[in-house]
Amino acid sequence: MASNNQFSLTGKAAWITGASYGIGFAIASAFAEAGAKIVFNDIGQAQLDKGLAAYKEAGIPVHGYVCDVTDENAVQATVKRIEQDVGVIDILVNNAGIIKRVPMTEMSAADFRQVIDVDLNAPFIVSKAVIPAMIRKGGGKIINICSMMSELGRETVGAYAAAKGGLKMLTRNIASEYGEYNIQCNGLGPGYIETPQTAPLRERQPDGSRHPFDQFIIAKTPAARWGTTRDLTGPAVFLASPASDFVNGHILYVDGGILAYIGKQP
Ligand code: NAP
Ligand code: GCO
C-alpha cells in the first residue's frame, strides 16, 4: 500500500553497490527499515557470503550478487538478473569505492587508473545500465557517494580526489540529462567516517596516543569527532525518498561542518 510518509521507501527496489559492510551496509540497512527491497553486490563470492551473513544476522532480507562494478558486461548481466529476481531498480546508490594513498610522483599509472575505474567509471557504467528501465518506469533515484575530496585536495590522495571530483560533476550531468524523466541524481558527501577504509588513519600509536591524522580531523571538524555510518543514513533515506523529488544535482555533505570550518587554532 502506498504510504503518505514522504520518507517511505515502501515497494521500492534499491541497489547499493559494494555494500557488504561499511557505509553501503548502513545505507542498505536504513533503506530496508524504510521499506525498500535491498539488493547489494560484492566483487567475489567469499566477500558476498560475508555480506549475506551480516545482513542475516541483522535480520535484513537481501538479494546479493557477485559483480565487479568496473565490468560493464557483468553489470549489464546483473541488472537483468535483478530485474528478473526483484524488479526494476528504483534507487541506485553508487557506493563501491577504493582509495590508494600514494604521493602522486610515486603512484603508477595503473594504480591511478584503477582508482578512477572503481570510483568514477563504475558509477557511469552502473548508472548507464539502470537509467533506461527507470525512464520506462516513470522515474528513479541515483545517489553517488562523493567525498570531502570532491571539494578538497590533500597529500597522497590525488587519484581519489580526481575521481570524486569527477563524480560530483557526473552527478550534476546525470541530473541535467535525465531530470525530465523524473530521475533525481544527487551526491552524498560523507566527511571522515569510521569504516575499514579510514582505519589506517585512526590507528592508535605505539604509546597509545591517537594517530596524528585522527587528531587533525578532530581539529578540522566543528563536531570534534569522526562521523559514524549511522550519521549518513537519514540523509541517504531523504535522497532516496519522495521527500527529495525536487532536489536534483545536489551534493549533500554530511561532514560535521568540515567544509565550513578553517580548523581549531593549534
Ligand atoms: P570500504 O569500507 O572500503 O568498503 C568499500 C566497499 O566497496 C567494499 O564492500 C568493497 O568490496 C566494495 N568494492 C570495492 N571495489 C569494488 C568493485 N570493483 N566491485 C564491487 N564492489 C567493490 O569503504 P567505505 O568507507 O564504506 O566507503 C564506501 C564509499 O564511501 C566509497 O565510495 C568511499 O570512497 C566513500 N567515502 C568514504 C568515506 C569514509 O570516511 N569512510 C568518506 C567519504 C566517502 P570488497 O570488500 O570486496 O573490497
Ligand atoms: C583520506 C580519507 C578520505 C575519506 C573521505 C573523506 O585518506 O583522506 O580516506 O578520503 O575517505 O573520502 O570524505
Side-chain angles (χ1 to χ4, degrees):
M1 181 181 79
S3 165
N4 291 327
N5 173 4
Q6 62 178 342
F7 295 94
S8 170
L9 304 183
T10 299
K12 301 294 185 185
W15 181 12
I16 303 90
T17 67
S20 292
Y21 54 86
I23 289 172
F25 184 88
I27 289 175
S29 304
F31 283 10
E33 192 176 342
K37 294 174 284 183
I38 303 304
V39 174
F40 82 107
N41 68 293
D42 208 313
I43 202 165
Q45 189 62 51
Q47 298 94 324
L48 187 78
D49 290 344
K50 286 180 183 174
L52 289 168
Y55 285 108
K56 185 176 182 181
E57 185 177 349
I60 298 170
V62 294
H63 300 261
Y65 299 86
V66 173
C67 178
D68 176 349
V69 291
T70 66
D71 179 340
E72 185 163 29
N73 291 333
V75 167
Q76 295 276 358
T78 300
V79 168
K80 287 188 172 66
R81 286 185 58 199
I82 293 168
E83 290 177 352
Q84 289 164 357
D85 299 344
V86 185
V88 169
I89 297 158
D90 301 291
I91 302 161
L92 169 65
V93 180
N94 284 307
N95 166 77
I98 63 171
I99 191 168
K100 292 179 184 291
R101 299 182 180 96
V102 180
M104 191 176 105
T105 54
E106 299 169 26
M107 177 175 255
S108 69
D111 278 348
F112 186 92
R113 287 193 191 97
Q114 187 188 5
V115 174
I116 298 293
D117 213 15
V118 180
D119 295 358
L120 180 56
N121 292 344
F124 159 75
I125 287 169
V126 184
S127 300
K128 173 187 168 186
V130 306
I131 284 171
M134 286 182 172
I135 292 173
R136 290 193 295 270
K137 189 170 184 179
K141 298 281 189 178
I142 298 175
I143 301 168
N144 292 323
I145 306 298
C146 295
S147 162
M148 295 288 96
M149 277 51 227
S150 296
E151 301 292 343
L152 304 169
R154 86 171 185 88
E155 299 81 0
T156 76
V157 296
Y160 184 83
K164 293 298 188 178
L167 185 57
K168 174 176 72 172
M169 286 314 302
L170 179 63
T171 300
R172 289 178 175 163
N173 215 77
I174 293 171
S176 304
E177 194 165 5
Y178 296 101
E180 68 180 283
Y181 302 103
N182 189 34
I183 292 172
Q184 291 85 50
C185 181
N186 293 288
L188 185 68
Y192 280 81
I193 310 297
E194 293 174 343
T195 73
Q197 191 248 49
T198 56
L201 305 174
R202 293 178 282 106
E203 280 172 0
R204 286 283 172 177
Q205 302 301 282
D207 64 3
S209 62
R210 300 178 83 128
H211 191 293
F213 193 88
D214 183 353
Q215 299 175 56
F216 169 68
I217 291 302
I218 299 296
K220 287 287 286 181
T221 309
R225 68 173 174 88
W226 284 70
T228 67
T229 57
R230 179 156 180 80
D231 288 318
L232 301 169
T233 55
V237 169
F238 165 67
L239 290 177
S241 73
S244 61
D245 280 356
F246 203 55
V247 179
N248 208 10
H250 183 72
I251 313 299
L252 178 53
Y253 288 104
V254 184
D255 65 354
I258 293 176
L259 289 178
Y261 187 38
I262 195 170
K264 187 171 291 299
Q265 181 181 349

